[in-house]
Amino acid sequence: MSLLPFENYFINVILPIPLQRLFTYRITEAESKFLKKGMRIAVPFGKKKICTALVYKIHQQEPNAYEAKSIHQILDDTPVVTELQLKHWEWISEYYMCSLGDVFRAALPSAFLLESETIVLKNPKFEDDSVLTDSEFLIYEALSQQSQLSVLEISSILSKKNIFPLLKTMLAKQAILLKEEIYESYTPKLVKYIKLNEKHSGDKALIELLGSLQRAKQQHKALLTYFSLDAQTRKPIKAKDLLEKSAVSIAVLKGLVDKEILEFYHIQEDRVSFGVAGGQLKELNQFQQVAFEEIEASFVDKAVTLLHGVTSSGKTEVYAKLIQKQIDQGKQVLFLLPEIALTTQLIDRLKKYFGGEISVFHSKYSMNERVEVYNNVLESKKNTQIVLGARSSLFLPFSNLGLIIVDEEHETSYKQFDPSPRYQARDTAVLLAYLHQAKTLLGSATPSLESYYNATNNKYGLVKLTKRFGEVQLPKIELVDIKEKHRKKRMTSHFSDRLLEEIQESIDNKEQVILFQNRRGFSPIVECETCAVAPGCPNCDVSLTFHKYRKELRCHYCNYRQSMPLNCAACGSTKLTTIGFGTEQIEMELNELFPDVNVGRMDLDTTRGKYGYQKIIGSFQSQEIDILVGTQMLSKGLDFGKVSLVGVMNADNMLNFPDFRAHERTFQMMVQVAGRSGRSKKRGKVIIQTFNPYHQILQQVSSNDYEGMYKEQLEDRWQFHYPPFYRILKITLRHRDLMTLDSASEWFGKSLTNAFKDNVLGPTAPSVSRVRNLYIKHITVKIPPKQSLKATKQHIVKIQNTFTAIGAYRGVRLGIDIDAY
Ligand code: ADP
Ligand code: ZN
Ligand code: ZN
């Protein structure tokens, strides 16, 4: 007698954790019919935990190593992750040596990844609770009593097991929030204007008015000034301008308003808006038109094309035209930007052209905003036909991409360093486009060496745009030898006489100035004059940075802070001096040198929060700021018409950075900041202060010789075995205990050397060898052009597996980074 085979159904899922393998759960037959690849389910994991998993495969093979648990519940009716996305994830996971779970966690907005430990809060902005179902209302009530609860707590308070779906709908109704969120609201700036009261229009009324004020001298003066301003500019008049021009007090203006002669009104100034009228694309000039046609021609047989266009050549307009063509054909476009907060100007321009079809996506957005964009893309809504986003927007569920544009493709922020997946968004974009059979356009004024190498070797197409728009000349770059200037006593603080002259000239011409200093804070470190000890961070192996504004010392690695000590911790001496200089110090020196000039500062400290950049960029644009001092943030694609001078305070600290790309990076940075000068009409100037004016890279910057820089750097790369010839794979080990770390990294290093011989460098301690109480060691593996990447990785995984099995090294954190640059 044979038994009927009992039908068993199982499901393989991806869990959002770093473990390589998939996990198997038991499901019912009905569930097996309903579930599809890419849907989410809640599953038990570990002892008590419940977390969100992604359906990967449904099958009937019982696992033999363990008893499969049942799933908790189903969370979606239809897949939230598409087949194409999963293919992309698989490629990322294989190429970057990370788990699918790592990609899962990075790819979905965190609201999609509820777990029993997730903390839930009431949304204070939620008002209409009538939209909630009875069960949802119970949760909402529980949250009113206690300001925050974990998913697990809610489920035990309500003695209800199935709350994941309820939380999901409540999130959709925006009744609740998940913790991790930081909220910031942006209040647009209100500017106070002044105008003539309606009653008094017409010439006759004016004469009467002035007559009536014969005895109120001040008011008379103010009104006269108002008329002359009005006649001169024919534009709305700011109350502030009238005050300045007429040299009266605000009380005088108020008096006039009380008499109903003048009146105040406000205009909400969109601080980052562009003065473009209408939504029409601009007509391309002849050079742009040629570039546009060349790109199209190149796409006929190349999947990737590099647009090498000098700063201010109008690459954006070329992009816009390409985008237009895609949407006319009903295709989606992904426009990648290096750091979205810095590119509000560009977003604004594209919004003007494609308003209703654009969505913006980035990690500073609130969770609700991110979920909304994700869902809209999933449903192929019209307003997501164009997505502008930072690197994480690669993970959106596109269905029909026609083109991916990677703007400023050389930017380092396209590389994700931590946590895993450590992907390079530009390269990952090329693959995504390939999966959609779409094209990729890389754009830059200073392409990365790798991309230019691919372009000159026919792997990518290459299109050049060598003229600035309006044929404004590229700025004139002058190198100033500050060693010489010091010797001749021609330095005032950190300013050479040349730089000061030029600043003065710009100010006199009512033009704006950008000063670049690649360090934030007041000065990098404080040092004791007696014993030369510098206060260091207790958690990291670095000196603390002095921030004058708050009179405190800070660690730029872990954010540790303490107030500025009065005496040296080592010898007690009170003679503490500051060494080096940062943005804050430059700002202060400027305030002394140019007391009448408004100085602004843009660095990590002044731009926190979602709208931090917008505020500063906005006030520079509206010319409330005359001189803007900043770090490398300034180099990113900003377009200000009134900037006639860019000054680089010190070019040397970048050149001396210990990294094989330091020279390439310096070139890119300098050319990019220089490119902010003289963008409209008049030729701009750039002053670069340096101790090494004859340095090859600075010479190349000053003659805008990209080709020369490229050739020379490429030779170095070849000679010293670096990309694009050799690949670089970097292994990072971290541990609290230095002895353990030393022995672990020695072991790992030896195992690698056995296999890869001379191509293994290290283990070495990085220049900052301890961060947040963890010691750090690096091992670099160079992979020669002919060596199989796949075999290399497989071997490294083998070593890794043996390593993790060694008890003594348990707790050593291991990170692998492919193309770690
Ligand atoms: P890039 O991105 O190459 O640095 P932009 O696209 O920012 O250059 O263009 C530089 C400036 O020239 C912008 O202010 C832009 O509005 C203007 N511009 C570029 N192309 C055109 C065009 N075809 N018609 C009118 N203005 C243009
Ligand atoms: Zn620290
Ligand atoms: Zn001392």
Side-chain angles (χ1 to χ4, degrees):
M1 206 170 65
S2 72
L3 285 171
L4 265 177
F6 178 67
E7 293 285 333
N8 274 322
Y9 289 92
F10 297 95
I11 190 165
N12 288 350
V13 299
I14 304 172
L15 290 178
I17 56 172
L19 293 181
Q20 263 315 336
R21 61 191 186 85
L22 299 173
F23 290 77
T24 307
Y25 289 86
R26 180 184 290 282
I27 50 175
T28 65
E29 186 176 354
E31 285 168 339
S32 83
K33 298 231 158 71
F34 181 80
L35 284 170
K36 289 193 192 72
K37 194 170 179 177
M39 286 187 190
R40 287 169 305 154
I41 56 178
V43 298
F45 180 68
K47 280 209 181 90
K48 270 205 190 135
K49 225 174 129 162
I50 291 173
C51 65
T52 300
L54 196 75
V55 176
Y56 193 76
K57 192 175 160 196
I58 295 156
H59 59 86
Q60 293 191 286
Q61 229 126 44
E62 179 152 17
N64 41 25
Y66 57 94
E67 178 72 23
K69 289 184 194 163
S70 295
I71 69 168
H72 199 71
Q73 63 200 148
I74 297 173
L75 298 177
D76 294 314
D77 300 331
T78 51
V80 294
V81 175
T82 66
E83 288 273 356
L84 258 174
Q85 279 178 290
L86 280 165
K87 278 213 186 95
H88 194 219
W89 293 12
E90 275 155 22
W91 180 84
I92 293 172
S93 144
E94 193 193 309
Y95 188 83
Y96 292 107
M97 297 177 81
C98 63
S99 75
L100 277 174
D102 283 334
V103 190
F104 180 32
R105 188 173 277 290
L108 294 194
S110 51
F112 281 19
L113 293 167
L114 281 176
E115 308 178 338
S116 38
E117 278 115 31
T118 308
I119 304 288
V120 181
L121 320 164
K122 215 169 109 166
N123 182 356
K125 294 202 187 112
F126 180 72
E127 276 159 8
D128 182 15
D129 58 25
S130 68
V131 302
L132 300 178
T133 65
D134 291 350
S135 325
E136 288 168 359
F137 188 72
L138 285 178
I139 297 180
Y140 191 70
E141 279 239 305
L143 285 166
S144 310
Q145 324 249 306
Q146 252 161 323
S147 61
Q148 59 178 54
L149 290 168
S150 73
V151 172
L152 194 68
E153 284 166 336
I154 297 177
S155 107
S156 72
I157 289 176
L158 303 180
S159 38
K160 212 173 155 91
K161 256 188 140 186
N162 303 341
I163 67 162
F164 275 64
L166 293 176
L167 295 176
K168 186 187 146 195
T169 49
M170 290 177 77
L171 277 166
K173 292 174 184 172
Q174 312 208 350
I176 55 170
L177 305 171
L178 303 186
K179 185 113 177 217
E180 58 129 41
E181 283 191 75
I182 314 145
Y183 274 89
E184 249 195 85
S185 51
Y186 172 49
T187 22
K189 194 187 172 195
L190 284 179
V191 179
K192 197 172 187 178
Y193 286 83
I194 195 155
K195 66 177 179 192
L196 203 61
N197 195 306
E198 298 285 314
K199 292 194 281 193
H200 304 288
S201 45
D203 294 346
K204 224 174 102 196
L206 298 184
I207 296 166
E208 272 170 30
L209 257 184
L210 282 169
S212 75
L213 291 175
Q214 282 307 356
R215 269 188 280 149
K217 281 255 156 53
Q218 290 286 322
Q219 292 186 351
H220 189 261
K221 183 164 96 179
L223 195 61
L224 261 182
T225 316
Y226 173 86
F227 288 139
S228 84
L229 272 178
D230 186 49
Q232 272 167 32
T233 63
R234 291 263 143 224
K235 273 196 260 168
I237 294 168
K238 290 184 185 170
K240 187 173 144 245
D241 292 346
L242 181 56
L243 279 175
E244 269 170 24
K245 290 273 154 42
S246 57
V248 299
S249 70
I250 184 81
V252 175
L253 291 192
K254 283 199 179 122
L256 282 165
V257 170
D258 290 342
K259 287 186 182 163
E260 298 192 336
I261 295 173
L262 294 179
E263 73 183 294
F264 289 127
Y265 67 107
H266 289 91
I267 297 181
Q268 179 173 316
E269 235 182 33
D270 185 357
R271 309 190 58 159
V272 282
S273 73
F274 240 72
V276 192
Q280 285 292 315
L281 291 195
K282 286 181 180 145
E283 187 98 25
L284 298 185
N285 69 17
Q286 68 195 95
F287 309 105
Q288 291 167 324
Q289 184 62 32
V290 170
F292 171 75
E293 283 162 19
E294 285 177 359
I295 292 169
E296 296 235 288
S298 154
F299 279 153
V300 173
D301 57 359
K302 295 267 176 5
V304 186
T305 293
L306 172 66
L307 172 61
H308 180 199
V310 297
T311 53
S312 205
S313 54
K315 294 184 284 297
T316 318
E317 305 304 327
V318 179
Y319 299 151
K321 189 98 184 263
L322 289 161
I323 294 173
Q324 182 68 58
K325 250 192 116 166
Q326 293 294 327
I327 21 186
D328 290 346
Q329 295 167 18
K331 295 272 190 180
Q332 295 168 314
V333 177
L334 171 60
F335 192 118
L336 285 177
L337 296 156
E339 263 167 83
I340 217 146
L342 296 176
T343 32
T344 46
Q345 287 188 324
L346 195 143
I347 295 173
D348 243 56
R349 273 162 79 178
L350 293 176
K351 272 192 178 157
K352 285 245 156 66
Y353 298 152
F354 304 110
E357 285 135 350
I358 286 195
S359 289
V360 180
F361 184 83
H362 74 89
S363 57
K364 271 194 180 177
Y365 271 24
S366 78
M367 192 189 56
N368 283 332
E369 289 170 296
R370 274 178 283 153
V371 168
E372 205 173 302
V373 177
Y374 191 97
N375 285 331
N376 289 345
V377 177
L378 191 62
E379 292 160 27
S380 303
K381 288 230 178 101
K382 181 105 183 102
N383 66 357
T384 58
Q385 217 174 336
I386 306 166
V387 175
L388 302 184
R391 57 176 188 243
S392 57
S393 51
L394 279 171
F395 294 115
L396 290 168
F398 299 103
S399 52
N400 185 23
L401 275 174
L403 175 67
I404 303 182
I405 295 171
V406 185
D407 192 22
E408 309 289 356
E409 67 87 31
H410 64 280
E411 274 287 335
T412 46
S413 43
Y414 281 125
K415 176 74 168 76
Q416 157 107 355
F417 285 101
D418 259 317
S420 176
R422 301 181 176 85
Y423 63 101
Q424 159 56 264
R426 177 191 59 219
D427 303 343
T428 311
V430 169
L431 194 92
L432 180 65
Y434 171 79
L435 290 175
H436 283 263
Q437 296 182 327
K439 303 291 178 186
T440 309
L441 180 67
L442 311 178
S444 174
T446 52
S448 64
L449 238 58
E450 306 88 74
S451 295
Y452 206 71
Y453 179 76
N454 284 331
T456 46
N457 286 284
N458 244 346
K459 196 170 157 200
Y460 296 172
L462 177 61
V463 173
K464 295 188 186 186
L465 200 46
T466 52
K467 291 244 181 348
R468 283 192 143 188
F469 179 75
E471 303 197 42
V472 182
Q473 282 185 321
L474 282 167
K476 182 173 184 300
I477 300 178
E478 179 180 334
L479 300 172
V480 172
D481 183 346
I482 42 178
K483 202 196 285 164
E484 176 93 356
K485 295 285 181 191
H486 272 293
R487 203 167 50 77
K488 294 189 175 156
K489 306 243 177 304
R490 300 244 173 92
M491 295 291 288
T492 315
S493 313
H494 294 96
F495 294 83
S496 61
D497 52 355
R498 278 296 296 135
L499 184 52
L500 287 177
E501 275 162 35
E502 290 295 340
I503 295 177
Q504 190 62 55
E505 191 182 322
S506 294
I507 301 290
D508 293 344
N509 293 335
K510 304 231 172 313
E511 292 157 345
Q512 289 176 299
V513 178
I514 287 179
L515 294 178
F516 173 72
Q517 169 59 18
N518 205 18
R519 271 176 184 159
R520 55 199 250 249
F522 186 73
S523 66
I525 56 169
V526 169
E527 197 181 87
C528 169
E529 275 184 32
T530 315
C531 74
V533 165
C537 174
N539 313 317
C540 312
D541 175 30
V542 285
S543 302
L544 294 169
T545 302
F546 179 46
H547 285 243
K548 167 129 181 145
Y549 175 62
R550 290 182 194 275
K551 294 209 172 31
E552 66 182 11
L553 298 177
R554 276 191 216 164
C555 171
H556 287 180
Y557 286 83
C558 72
N559 272 329
Y560 167 87
R561 26 182 92 186
Q562 69 174 60
S563 54
M564 173 73 182
L566 296 173
N567 31 30
C568 170
C571 75
S573 155
T574 52
K575 285 197 181 140
L576 297 173
T577 51
T578 51
I579 302 179
F581 60 110
T583 42
E584 205 179 329
Q585 179 157 13
I586 299 300
E587 181 188 18
M588 204 191 70
E589 291 174 4
L590 282 168
N591 284 330
E592 277 168 24
L593 290 163
F594 301 95
D596 301 330
V597 164
N598 288 326
V599 181
R601 175 157 63 91
M602 180 152 118
D603 56 28
L604 263 182
D605 297 311
T606 58
T607 53
R608 290 191 199 286
K610 183 167 162 185
Y611 295 105
Y613 301 101
Q614 272 97 320
K615 287 179 196 157
I616 294 172
I617 291 172
S619 36
F620 194 55
Q621 194 152 333
S622 60
Q623 297 187 45
E624 285 159 41
I625 294 174
D626 305 305
I627 306 181
L628 185 60
V629 185
T631 56
Q632 76 264 22
M633 291 176 184
L634 286 175
S635 66
K636 320 220 168 175
L638 297 172
D639 184 26
F640 302 108
K642 280 269 178 186
V643 174
S644 60
L645 174 67
V646 166
V648 175
M649 300 306 298
N650 178 332
D652 306 312
N653 53 27
M654 290 178 63
L655 278 172
N656 299 333
F657 200 72
D659 178 278
F660 75 93
R661 302 191 71 171
H663 288 179
E664 178 192 354
R665 287 271 153 75
T666 308
F667 181 89
Q668 286 161 340
M669 182 82 77
M670 298 284 151
V671 170
Q672 293 286 349
V673 278
R676 304 310 116 208
S677 179
R679 289 174 72 89
S680 58
K681 301 192 188 91
K682 205 176 118 184
R683 185 176 190 194
K685 284 185 187 161
V686 179
I687 299 250
I688 298 179
Q689 302 194 133
T690 171
F691 285 96
N692 296 293
Y694 298 106
H695 195 291
Q696 204 50 29
I697 284 286
L698 297 181
Q699 292 291 332
Q700 286 154 353
V701 169
S702 68
S703 53
N704 194 40
D705 184 10
Y706 178 86
E707 294 278 340
M709 182 285 293
Y710 171 74
K711 289 214 177 80
E712 207 173 274
Q713 292 303 310
L714 206 65
E715 258 166 45
D716 280 1
R717 301 285 177 87
W718 173 250
Q719 192 176 348
F720 300 107
H721 297 177
Y722 279 109
F725 305 106
Y726 278 53
R727 278 174 194 280
I728 288 197
L729 183 150
K730 190 158 108 187
I731 295 167
T732 303
L733 300 102
R734 292 187 172 85
H735 198 265
R736 255 167 205 285
D737 176 50
L738 186 56
M739 297 257 282
T740 311
L741 182 69
D742 274 343
S743 136
S745 50
E746 283 303 326
W747 184 95
F748 215 106
K750 271 206 194 95
S751 311
L752 289 168
T753 309
N754 284 340
F756 307 115
K757 314 284 180 263
D758 290 349
N759 286 320
V760 179
L761 308 179
T764 52
S767 59
V768 176
S769 64
R770 188 175 56 120
V771 171
R772 292 170 205 266
N773 286 317
L774 295 178
Y775 289 95
I776 308 170
K777 282 277 158 85
H778 287 318
I779 305 173
T780 303
V781 182
K782 289 183 174 177
I783 307 172
K786 292 216 173 91
Q787 184 175 317
S788 150
L789 182 60
K790 199 164 171 195
T792 309
K793 286 182 193 166
Q794 276 168 355
H795 194 80
I796 292 175
V797 169
K798 247 195 189 150
I799 296 175
Q800 185 187 359
N801 289 340
T802 317
F803 178 82
T804 36
I806 300 173
Y809 302 149
R810 191 165 298 145
V812 175
R813 295 194 209 170
L814 193 75
I816 300 183
D817 192 345
I818 319 285
D819 303 338
Y821 51 85

